Amino acid sequence: EQVQACLRAVSLPLLLIFGRQGFFPDHRSRESRLACLAHGQVETLEGPHHFHLDGDVPGLAQLIDRFLG
């Protein structure tokens, strides 16, 4: 409940990027938290938890660029 309250307090646009083989491979395990975000955008890229190092780095850069664009 405390985590969900903190997430509900976030009012800025937020980009969440998960690695497909990362800590939350089961989408249901994160749905209740993601539902608390008023302006959350969720993306998934190939790779582990450290997908920014071992995954689709060009794809990551493209997602961030599009989000900030």
Side-chain angles (χ1 to χ4, degrees):
E1 292 180 19
Q2 186 177 17
V3 171
Q4 291 173 338
C6 288
L7 292 173
R8 279 192 289 277
V10 175
S11 60
L12 300 172
L14 182 66
L15 175 62
L16 294 169
I17 307 171
F18 292 94
R20 193 170 310 281
Q21 294 79 30
F23 288 151
F24 296 101
D26 179 5
H27 296 288
R28 292 171 296 188
S29 67
R30 63 185 184 197
E31 291 300 320
S32 64
R33 291 181 178 186
L34 296 177
C36 296
L37 295 169
H39 304 287
Q41 176 182 335
V42 179
E43 302 287 347
T44 303
L45 289 175
E46 287 300 323
H49 173 70
H50 294 288
F51 62 88
H52 59 287
L53 300 172
D54 302 323
D56 181 7
V57 176
L60 173 62
Q62 185 178 24
L63 285 175
I64 294 171
D65 187 51
R66 190 177 329 131
F67 180 74
L68 297 175

